[in-house]
Amino acid sequence: MKANCWYGKRDVQVVDVPEPDILNSRDAIVKVSSTAICGSDLHLYNGLVPTMEKGDILGHEFMGEVVETGSDVKKLRTGDRVVVAFPISCGSCFFCRRELFSLCENTNPNAWMAQKLFGHSPAGLYGYTHMLGGFAGGQAEYVRVPFADIGAIKIPEHLSDEQVLFLSDIFPTGYMAAENCNIQPGDTIAVWGCGPVGQFAMKSAFLLGAERVIGIDRFPYRMHIARKNTGAETINYESCDVYETLMDMTGGLGPDACIDAVGMEAHVPGMMGAYARAKQAMMLESDRPHALRQAIFACRKGGTVSIPGVYGGFDDKIPLGALMNKALTFKTGQTHVQHYFGPLLGRISDGDIDPSFIVTHRLPLEDAPKAFELFLNKQDDCLKVVLKPQ
Ligand code: NAD
Ligand code: ZN
Ligand code: ZN
């Protein structure tokens, strides 16, 4: 089968690889109908996350048709149309029982590697490093889905692939980021990043009752999509001081909650940008937490900083003084996707949201290398690429 594989920094290639087999009785094999590239894939593409190996199949946002099931798969049948959650979860450990699915204890065979870096290991993820399990990803014609009854949700025929594909990751991710803000009537929520995750965080903040949402980015087309499709106001951080502008917009109070939907590769304007990049390249700092610093600094006293953006390791100059003295709450995590499957499929079916608004490009899987470049460089007003195996 064809699959999009990682070969090093800025090097992905669509190559022929063996089709996956059922390895365990709770596995299913899914024939992929649509798959997408996530901002998290860009961190791998840029070579910033350790323990990738040449030939690893990328991708953790995918859906398709069940073509084979192991003997202990109970809920799924051959022919079912499903979306698959990006964290692989057993459904019965301490964390899965509490619906903290991305923290599953049983699905990362390389947990020891993650433990070295984080103290404990999160769940195994599709197509996302050997430290997180070395599982083959979904930018491929077929994928093995372990614990398929837990990780896949059946989709009714009347919804299109593009309406439901993002249940695999970024819609629940934006939604959990907003839910983590504990939104109260009248609240103003600021969202750093108008990428796909930021867009869903903004839309979700309104769904959860925010009065006002402010998106921050520098790409006019992304800010335009946010204004048009989510109802947010936007500010361009290249043409204003973010802190001053947010204070002006909130009567000096600051946003009630701040969402960092940028993560480890924040663009840092000016000379500080060169410094941050050099430091990250020399491994003196894992991430460029520029958006996070601003979010902590701007958040109103007693507010919440919600962090869906991915961070990798150890960072400097996080304003802990501001965090402590302003009594802020931090909420974060890889998304507990399976917890949101039912409710968010319901939101789509009820017409509260049509997640397809973020799709700007549709390409065959063979064009994955071109798609990575488009998405990375924001060429041709790219916000989200859907790849289709032929
Ligand atoms: P993306 O790269 O398309 O979007 C990031 C956006 O942030 C871009 O529009 C960029 O212009 C903007 N940006 C960069 N620097 C900024 C700054 N200093 N201030 C404001 N905006 C800035 O990616 P995405 O798909 O939207 O993903 C965003 C983040 O969410 C990534 O770190 C990704 O890894 C993470 N993510 C986390 C989870 C999770 O489970 N927690 C799931 C999916 C994605
Ligand atoms: Zn992702
Ligand atoms: Zn579990």
Side-chain angles (χ1 to χ4, degrees):
M1 68 166 186
K2 298 263 181 246
N4 184 42
C5 300
W6 186 93
Y7 283 92
K9 186 175 173 183
R10 305 270 167 92
D11 184 6
V12 299
Q13 298 171 31
V14 178
V15 295
D16 286 307
V17 299
E19 284 178 17
D21 290 320
I22 300 275
L23 297 182
N24 295 304
S25 58
R26 292 175 67 187
D27 291 350
I29 304 293
V30 168
K31 180 176 194 291
V32 176
S33 59
S34 295
T35 177
I37 304 172
C38 178
S40 302
D41 292 326
L42 296 180
H43 307 322
L44 306 177
Y45 190 57
N46 287 328
L48 288 170
V49 191
T51 75
M52 286 298 287
E53 291 175 15
K54 283 189 191 334
D56 284 349
I57 303 176
L58 291 167
H60 57 267
E61 299 180 358
F62 60 95
M63 64 177 294
E65 184 190 330
V66 176
V67 290
E68 203 182 337
T69 53
S71 55
D72 288 321
V73 173
K74 306 277 185 248
K75 295 187 196 153
L76 300 178
R77 299 223 183 325
T78 301
D80 283 347
R81 182 167 172 247
V82 293
V83 171
V84 176
F86 80 85
I88 301 170
S89 314
C90 76
S92 43
C93 71
F94 175 92
F95 295 97
C96 286
R97 284 202 310 274
R98 285 160 181 76
E99 307 225 334
L100 301 170
F101 290 103
S102 74
L103 304 176
C104 178
E105 283 281 79
N106 284 325
T107 54
N108 183 1
N110 300 328
W112 64 272
M113 290 190 200
Q115 273 164 14
K116 280 212 154 84
L117 193 59
F118 304 141
H120 301 85
S121 173
L125 308 184
Y126 293 97
Y128 217 81
T129 76
H130 287 263
M131 181 174 78
L132 297 180
F135 289 94
Q139 289 165 16
E141 289 182 87
Y142 295 90
V143 194
R144 180 176 74 94
V145 174
F147 302 107
D149 281 334
I150 308 296
I153 182 171
K154 280 195 241 181
I155 300 297
E157 281 309 317
H158 70 278
L159 296 171
S160 71
D161 275 25
E162 288 178 14
Q163 284 178 297
V164 294
L165 172 60
F166 307 118
L167 285 170
S168 59
D169 177 351
I170 52 176
F171 179 23
T173 294
Y175 194 89
M176 179 166 125
E179 200 178 67
N180 277 342
C181 294
N182 187 25
I183 295 172
Q184 304 297 313
D187 274 3
T188 297
I189 312 298
V191 180
W192 275 253
C194 296
V197 170
Q199 303 278 346
F200 283 120
M202 290 182 245
K203 181 76 190 171
S204 300
F206 280 121
L207 289 176
L208 290 166
E211 183 165 312
R212 210 173 162 195
V213 177
I214 304 166
I216 303 156
D217 207 299
R218 73 179 160 127
F219 290 98
Y221 76 94
R222 290 185 169 215
M223 294 157 62
H224 173 77
I225 293 172
R227 287 194 302 274
K228 188 166 148 234
N229 292 284
T230 76
E233 301 157 69
T234 57
I235 61 180
N236 187 329
Y237 66 84
E238 280 193 319
S239 54
C240 71
D241 181 282
V242 172
Y243 172 84
E244 295 295 343
T245 307
L246 288 173
M247 293 314 119
D248 285 350
M249 292 173 87
T250 56
L253 207 60
D256 299 286
C258 292
I259 297 178
D260 169 3
V262 177
M264 64 193 287
E265 292 190 75
H267 168 248
V268 189
M271 220 187 61
M272 287 308 287
Y275 173 73
R277 276 178 185 276
K279 232 171 131 182
Q280 194 175 29
M282 288 191 293
M283 308 235 175
L284 294 172
E285 184 171 43
S286 317
D287 312 299
R288 303 196 298 266
H290 186 66
L292 179 59
R293 290 186 189 118
Q294 282 188 345
I296 295 171
F297 211 68
C299 192
R300 79 144 163 78
K301 292 186 282 184
T304 298
V305 177
S306 163
I307 315 169
V310 162
Y311 287 93
F314 301 89
D315 300 322
D316 301 337
K317 301 188 185 66
I318 304 294
L320 288 178
L323 173 71
M324 187 272 164
N325 286 287
K326 296 200 293 180
L328 302 183
T329 299
F330 258 33
K331 298 278 272 181
T332 184
Q334 301 278 4
T335 304
H336 308 302
V337 173
Q338 295 88 333
H339 171 74
Y340 295 96
F341 261 165
L344 295 190
L345 180 60
R347 289 277 199 178
I348 298 169
S349 299
D350 294 349
D352 292 345
I353 179 171
D354 180 352
S356 63
F357 77 88
I358 64 160
V359 180
T360 54
H361 290 72
R362 298 152 182 98
L363 292 168
L365 177 65
E366 274 82 350
D367 285 345
K370 178 180 161 195
F372 267 77
E373 282 297 300
L374 280 170
F375 183 46
L376 172 71
N377 298 314
K378 283 88 179 166
Q379 288 160 0
D380 193 25
D381 288 358
C382 181
L383 178 61
K384 191 78 180 177
V385 191
V386 174
L387 297 168
K388 293 273 202 188
Q390 296 300 52

